[in-house]
Each structure stands twice: as structure tokens, then as C-alpha cells.
Amino acid sequence: EAQVTQNPRYLITVTGKKLTVTCSQNMNHEYMSWYRQDPGLGLRQIYYSMNVEVTDKGDVPEGYKVSRKEKRNFPLILESPSPNQTSLYFCASSLHPTTSGNTDTQYFGPGTRLTVL
Amino acid sequence: EDKVVQSPLSLVVHEGDTVTLNCSYEVTNFRSLLWYKQEKKAPTFLFMLTSSGIEKKSGRLSSILDKKELFSILNITATQTGDSAIYLCAVGGRVYGGSQGNLIFGKGTKLSVKP
């Protein structure tokens, strides 16, 4: 089954304790992206990756890191989480623009609800 | 600054009603506009629009784009309780130094359909 998976689905942690949220897709998509969703603010893009070893900042990259060492995985790293990073996080993937014409038809993972105390 | 604005923010209707959701945008180097439906989980794709005046249709849902006036509408006819969800509009535009990866979302319209 074609899907985007995220782990963990729920996480409660404390300020300053490094954490990683994993994202994996089995559709051979080249484009992957991370979003956070907050009440009243909608979905905001954190980072995206056009291909292996190619990553770019989205709208709200501060406090986050990503890596893209292989096509299927795109982990989100919070080196020193803070309470303002409490949010619902979504990973998404789609085909490369030169293949499909655009990257926009993104398929979303189930979400990770993160609480930072 | 690029932005996507959806209206109304919330809407309550009764089953059988027809609703129209609005999305306006100001995005550099517009590529496409997408509609998503989000229930209590991840957004699911509904439509992608790239050309003005061409209606996309799927069952009771339809959408159209006006690139001159910079907006799109999503219509739902004969609404059902299962249509209750947040409807998200997103626009793809070139924002950062020529890279094409940025997708900007509106804050969504929360639709509640009462029996």
C-alpha cells in the first residue's frame, strides 16, 4: 500500500531534550516536506527536500533540522525543543516536478502530535 | 509577502444545502492551487487547478480558478454530514531563490453539516 508513515504518532517531552520524528514513504517520491499545524495559523511549511541531499527552508525553519540521506526517509530533528514547538506535525511527499510537472499533489502522513513541557 | 486567505473561517449548514468556500491568494510566480479535505487526521487531496475557467468536478464537489482575480471557489452541493471537515486551500509558488518547493496553505474553512 502506497503511504507516508510517521513515528512516533504522539510524543510528550521536556524542554531541551533532543528528539527526532521519522518520516518514510514507499512511493519513490523525490519531493518530501514537513509542516506544522497550529490552531488559527493553519499549515506552515518547515523544511522541504527536492531530492536526496537537497533540502531548503520553508516558512518556519527556526529550531528544526532535517536530513535527506536516502530517498525514502526525511527525519525532522529538534535539537533543543521548546514549548512553542508544541504542535501537530505532518510529513508529505510527492513526485519530482520534472516528472509530474509540479510537486503540488502531496500525500500526507498521519501526523505526529508533539507536546513540549 | 505571499499569502492565501480562505473565507469563511467556519460555516454551519444543514444536510442538503449547497455551500461555496472561497480562497484568494497573492503568491509570487503562481504555479497551481490545491484543495484538501481534513477530517480528524491528515489532509487528503481533492483538486489541483492550474488554468482559469476550467471546472474540476468530483461527485458533489467542484472547483474553479480565476487567475485574473486571484481566487478559487470550492462548491459542495447536497451536503451530507460526512462532508463535515476542514477544507484547506494551498497555492504553489516560487518563493525562495528560484526553488519550486514551497506550498503555502490558507488557515482553512471549518464546515459543519447538521442532520
Side-chain angles (χ1 to χ4, degrees), chain B residues 40-59:
Chain B
K40 292 182 181 179
K41 50 190 180 198
T44 54
F45 172 77
L46 293 175
F47 297 112
M48 183 175 73
L49 304 155
T50 56
S51 301
S52 276
I54 299 175
E55 185 183 52
K56 291 282 183 89
K57 198 170 173 65
S58 176

PDB file of all heavy atoms in Angstrom, chain B residues 40-59:
ATOM      1  N   LYS B  40     -10.429  14.221  10.991  1.00  0.00           N
ATOM      2  CA  LYS B  40      -9.611  14.163  12.210  1.00  0.00           C
ATOM      3  C   LYS B  40      -8.284  13.465  11.951  1.00  0.00           C
ATOM      4  O   LYS B  40      -7.840  12.629  12.730  1.00  0.00           O
ATOM      5  CB  LYS B  40     -10.389  13.450  13.311  1.00  0.00           C
ATOM      6  CG  LYS B  40     -11.586  14.262  13.790  1.00  0.00           C
ATOM      7  CD  LYS B  40     -12.296  13.559  14.908  1.00  0.00           C
ATOM      8  CE  LYS B  40     -13.498  14.383  15.364  1.00  0.00           C
ATOM      9  NZ  LYS B  40     -14.243  13.717  16.447  1.00  0.00           N
ATOM     10  N   LYS B  41      -7.664  13.798  10.872  1.00  0.00           N
ATOM     11  CA  LYS B  41      -6.404  13.143  10.502  1.00  0.00           C
ATOM     12  C   LYS B  41      -5.703  13.996   9.452  1.00  0.00           C
ATOM     13  O   LYS B  41      -5.904  15.194   9.405  1.00  0.00           O
ATOM     14  CB  LYS B  41      -6.692  11.745   9.971  1.00  0.00           C
ATOM     15  CG  LYS B  41      -7.764  11.704   8.896  1.00  0.00           C
ATOM     16  CD  LYS B  41      -8.204  10.305   8.564  1.00  0.00           C
ATOM     17  CE  LYS B  41      -9.266  10.365   7.479  1.00  0.00           C
ATOM     18  NZ  LYS B  41     -10.060   9.193   7.326  1.00  0.00           N
ATOM     19  N   ALA B  42      -4.894  13.365   8.628  1.00  0.00           N
ATOM     20  CA  ALA B  42      -4.102  14.106   7.653  1.00  0.00           C
ATOM     21  C   ALA B  42      -4.976  14.640   6.513  1.00  0.00           C
ATOM     22  O   ALA B  42      -6.007  14.064   6.184  1.00  0.00           O
ATOM     23  CB  ALA B  42      -3.016  13.195   7.084  1.00  0.00           C
ATOM     24  N   PRO B  43      -4.557  15.751   5.910  1.00  0.00           N
ATOM     25  CA  PRO B  43      -5.286  16.262   4.743  1.00  0.00           C
ATOM     26  C   PRO B  43      -5.288  15.259   3.604  1.00  0.00           C
ATOM     27  O   PRO B  43      -4.292  14.572   3.367  1.00  0.00           O
ATOM     28  CB  PRO B  43      -4.482  17.509   4.355  1.00  0.00           C
ATOM     29  CG  PRO B  43      -3.733  17.894   5.581  1.00  0.00           C
ATOM     30  CD  PRO B  43      -3.436  16.622   6.294  1.00  0.00           C
ATOM     31  N   THR B  44      -6.414  15.194   2.906  1.00  0.00           N
ATOM     32  CA  THR B  44      -6.488  14.359   1.714  1.00  0.00           C
ATOM     33  C   THR B  44      -6.782  15.243   0.514  1.00  0.00           C
ATOM     34  O   THR B  44      -7.583  16.173   0.584  1.00  0.00           O
ATOM     35  CB  THR B  44      -7.566  13.279   1.840  1.00  0.00           C
ATOM     36  OG1 THR B  44      -8.812  13.901   2.181  1.00  0.00           O
ATOM     37  CG2 THR B  44      -7.204  12.273   2.903  1.00  0.00           C
ATOM     38  N   PHE B  45      -6.149  14.926  -0.581  1.00  0.00           N
ATOM     39  CA  PHE B  45      -6.192  15.741  -1.780  1.00  0.00           C
ATOM     40  C   PHE B  45      -7.573  15.699  -2.437  1.00  0.00           C
ATOM     41  O   PHE B  45      -8.193  14.631  -2.543  1.00  0.00           O
ATOM     42  CB  PHE B  45      -5.127  15.231  -2.750  1.00  0.00           C
ATOM     43  CG  PHE B  45      -5.169  15.850  -4.116  1.00  0.00           C
ATOM     44  CD1 PHE B  45      -4.678  17.118  -4.325  1.00  0.00           C
ATOM     45  CD2 PHE B  45      -5.701  15.156  -5.184  1.00  0.00           C
ATOM     46  CE1 PHE B  45      -4.712  17.687  -5.589  1.00  0.00           C
ATOM     47  CE2 PHE B  45      -5.741  15.706  -6.449  1.00  0.00           C
ATOM     48  CZ  PHE B  45      -5.242  16.977  -6.652  1.00  0.00           C
ATOM     49  N   LEU B  46      -8.064  16.867  -2.879  1.00  0.00           N
ATOM     50  CA  LEU B  46      -9.332  16.941  -3.608  1.00  0.00           C
ATOM     51  C   LEU B  46      -9.094  17.341  -5.068  1.00  0.00           C
ATOM     52  O   LEU B  46      -9.427  16.599  -5.982  1.00  0.00           O
ATOM     53  CB  LEU B  46     -10.267  17.964  -2.952  1.00  0.00           C
ATOM     54  CG  LEU B  46     -10.789  17.635  -1.558  1.00  0.00           C
ATOM     55  CD1 LEU B  46     -11.594  18.803  -1.005  1.00  0.00           C
ATOM     56  CD2 LEU B  46     -11.625  16.366  -1.576  1.00  0.00           C
ATOM     57  N   PHE B  47      -8.555  18.538  -5.273  1.00  0.00           N
ATOM     58  CA  PHE B  47      -8.387  19.065  -6.629  1.00  0.00           C
ATOM     59  C   PHE B  47      -7.074  19.818  -6.745  1.00  0.00           C
ATOM     60  O   PHE B  47      -6.601  20.395  -5.781  1.00  0.00           O
ATOM     61  CB  PHE B  47      -9.494  20.088  -6.970  1.00  0.00           C
ATOM     62  CG  PHE B  47     -10.887  19.532  -6.975  1.00  0.00           C
ATOM     63  CD1 PHE B  47     -11.800  19.927  -6.007  1.00  0.00           C
ATOM     64  CD2 PHE B  47     -11.304  18.651  -7.955  1.00  0.00           C
ATOM     65  CE1 PHE B  47     -13.091  19.441  -6.008  1.00  0.00           C
ATOM     66  CE2 PHE B  47     -12.586  18.162  -7.971  1.00  0.00           C
ATOM     67  CZ  PHE B  47     -13.491  18.553  -6.992  1.00  0.00           C
ATOM     68  N   MET B  48      -6.560  19.837  -7.948  1.00  0.00           N
ATOM     69  CA  MET B  48      -5.487  20.753  -8.305  1.00  0.00           C
ATOM     70  C   MET B  48      -5.917  21.558  -9.517  1.00  0.00           C
ATOM     71  O   MET B  48      -6.408  20.993 -10.499  1.00  0.00           O
ATOM     72  CB  MET B  48      -4.193  20.018  -8.623  1.00  0.00           C
ATOM     73  CG  MET B  48      -3.051  20.953  -8.932  1.00  0.00           C
ATOM     74  SD  MET B  48      -1.492  20.125  -9.179  1.00  0.00           S
ATOM     75  CE  MET B  48      -1.765  19.380 -10.772  1.00  0.00           C
ATOM     76  N   LEU B  49      -5.766  22.864  -9.450  1.00  0.00           N
ATOM     77  CA  LEU B  49      -6.193  23.764 -10.514  1.00  0.00           C
ATOM     78  C   LEU B  49      -5.001  24.567 -11.000  1.00  0.00           C
ATOM     79  O   LEU B  49      -4.264  25.140 -10.195  1.00  0.00           O
ATOM     80  CB  LEU B  49      -7.269  24.723  -9.975  1.00  0.00           C
ATOM     81  CG  LEU B  49      -8.485  24.043  -9.369  1.00  0.00           C
ATOM     82  CD1 LEU B  49      -9.172  24.951  -8.363  1.00  0.00           C
ATOM     83  CD2 LEU B  49      -9.461  23.657 -10.459  1.00  0.00           C
ATOM     84  N   THR B  50      -4.836  24.597 -12.303  1.00  0.00           N
ATOM     85  CA  THR B  50      -3.740  25.384 -12.861  1.00  0.00           C
ATOM     86  C   THR B  50      -4.216  26.396 -13.890  1.00  0.00           C
ATOM     87  O   THR B  50      -3.536  27.388 -14.146  1.00  0.00           O
ATOM     88  CB  THR B  50      -2.686  24.473 -13.515  1.00  0.00           C
ATOM     89  OG1 THR B  50      -3.331  23.665 -14.497  1.00  0.00           O
ATOM     90  CG2 THR B  50      -2.021  23.580 -12.491  1.00  0.00           C
ATOM     91  N   SER B  51      -5.369  26.173 -14.496  1.00  0.00           N
ATOM     92  CA  SER B  51      -5.862  27.046 -15.571  1.00  0.00           C
ATOM     93  C   SER B  51      -7.148  27.724 -15.165  1.00  0.00           C
ATOM     94  O   SER B  51      -8.011  27.121 -14.531  1.00  0.00           O
ATOM     95  CB  SER B  51      -6.099  26.224 -16.838  1.00  0.00           C
ATOM     96  OG  SER B  51      -4.903  25.592 -17.243  1.00  0.00           O
ATOM     97  N   SER B  52      -7.308  28.971 -15.577  1.00  0.00           N
ATOM     98  CA  SER B  52      -8.522  29.726 -15.266  1.00  0.00           C
ATOM     99  C   SER B  52      -9.719  29.161 -16.013  1.00  0.00           C
ATOM    100  O   SER B  52      -9.631  28.761 -17.180  1.00  0.00           O
ATOM    101  CB  SER B  52      -8.360  31.184 -15.686  1.00  0.00           C
ATOM    102  OG  SER B  52      -7.705  31.927 -14.712  1.00  0.00           O
ATOM    103  N   GLY B  53     -10.862  29.189 -15.347  1.00  0.00           N
ATOM    104  CA  GLY B  53     -12.130  28.923 -16.007  1.00  0.00           C
ATOM    105  C   GLY B  53     -12.452  27.466 -16.276  1.00  0.00           C
ATOM    106  O   GLY B  53     -13.533  27.164 -16.783  1.00  0.00           O
ATOM    107  N   ILE B  54     -11.553  26.565 -15.924  1.00  0.00           N
ATOM    108  CA  ILE B  54     -11.824  25.145 -16.178  1.00  0.00           C
ATOM    109  C   ILE B  54     -12.279  24.510 -14.874  1.00  0.00           C
ATOM    110  O   ILE B  54     -11.522  24.454 -13.905  1.00  0.00           O
ATOM    111  CB  ILE B  54     -10.578  24.432 -16.716  1.00  0.00           C
ATOM    112  CG1 ILE B  54     -10.155  25.070 -18.040  1.00  0.00           C
ATOM    113  CG2 ILE B  54     -10.839  22.947 -16.875  1.00  0.00           C
ATOM    114  CD1 ILE B  54      -8.875  24.541 -18.596  1.00  0.00           C
ATOM    115  N   GLU B  55     -13.515  24.025 -14.864  1.00  0.00           N
ATOM    116  CA  GLU B  55     -14.067  23.456 -13.647  1.00  0.00           C
ATOM    117  C   GLU B  55     -13.585  22.021 -13.463  1.00  0.00           C
ATOM    118  O   GLU B  55     -13.604  21.215 -14.385  1.00  0.00           O
ATOM    119  CB  GLU B  55     -15.595  23.487 -13.693  1.00  0.00           C
ATOM    120  CG  GLU B  55     -16.236  23.023 -12.390  1.00  0.00           C
ATOM    121  CD  GLU B  55     -17.758  22.997 -12.462  1.00  0.00           C
ATOM    122  OE1 GLU B  55     -18.286  22.386 -13.419  1.00  0.00           O
ATOM    123  OE2 GLU B  55     -18.405  23.571 -11.570  1.00  0.00           O
ATOM    124  N   LYS B  56     -13.141  21.748 -12.249  1.00  0.00           N
ATOM    125  CA  LYS B  56     -12.825  20.369 -11.879  1.00  0.00           C
ATOM    126  C   LYS B  56     -13.997  19.850 -11.055  1.00  0.00           C
ATOM    127  O   LYS B  56     -14.531  20.567 -10.206  1.00  0.00           O
ATOM    128  CB  LYS B  56     -11.537  20.323 -11.042  1.00  0.00           C
ATOM    129  CG  LYS B  56     -10.274  20.671 -11.806  1.00  0.00           C
ATOM    130  CD  LYS B  56      -9.812  19.536 -12.641  1.00  0.00           C
ATOM    131  CE  LYS B  56      -8.504  19.847 -13.344  1.00  0.00           C
ATOM    132  NZ  LYS B  56      -7.332  19.484 -12.551  1.00  0.00           N
ATOM    133  N   LYS B  57     -14.381  18.611 -11.310  1.00  0.00           N
ATOM    134  CA  LYS B  57     -15.579  18.091 -10.664  1.00  0.00           C
ATOM    135  C   LYS B  57     -15.319  16.670 -10.183  1.00  0.00           C
ATOM    136  O   LYS B  57     -14.698  15.859 -10.871  1.00  0.00           O
ATOM    137  CB  LYS B  57     -16.743  18.112 -11.655  1.00  0.00           C
ATOM    138  CG  LYS B  57     -18.111  18.021 -11.034  1.00  0.00           C
ATOM    139  CD  LYS B  57     -19.186  18.296 -12.078  1.00  0.00           C
ATOM    140  CE  LYS B  57     -20.579  18.055 -11.528  1.00  0.00           C
ATOM    141  NZ  LYS B  57     -20.942  18.983 -10.460  1.00  0.00           N
ATOM    142  N   SER B  58     -15.826  16.395  -8.982  1.00  0.00           N
ATOM    143  CA  SER B  58     -15.757  15.047  -8.446  1.00  0.00           C
ATOM    144  C   SER B  58     -16.998  14.814  -7.602  1.00  0.00           C
ATOM    145  O   SER B  58     -17.089  15.290  -6.461  1.00  0.00           O
ATOM    146  CB  SER B  58     -14.485  14.872  -7.607  1.00  0.00           C
ATOM    147  OG  SER B  58     -14.453  13.597  -7.013  1.00  0.00           O
ATOM    148  N   GLY B  59     -17.963  14.125  -8.166  1.00  0.00           N
ATOM    149  CA  GLY B  59     -19.206  13.893  -7.446  1.00  0.00           C
ATOM    150  C   GLY B  59     -19.929  15.190  -7.154  1.00  0.00           C
ATOM    151  O   GLY B  59     -20.193  15.981  -8.060  1.00  0.00           O
TER     152      GLY B  59
END
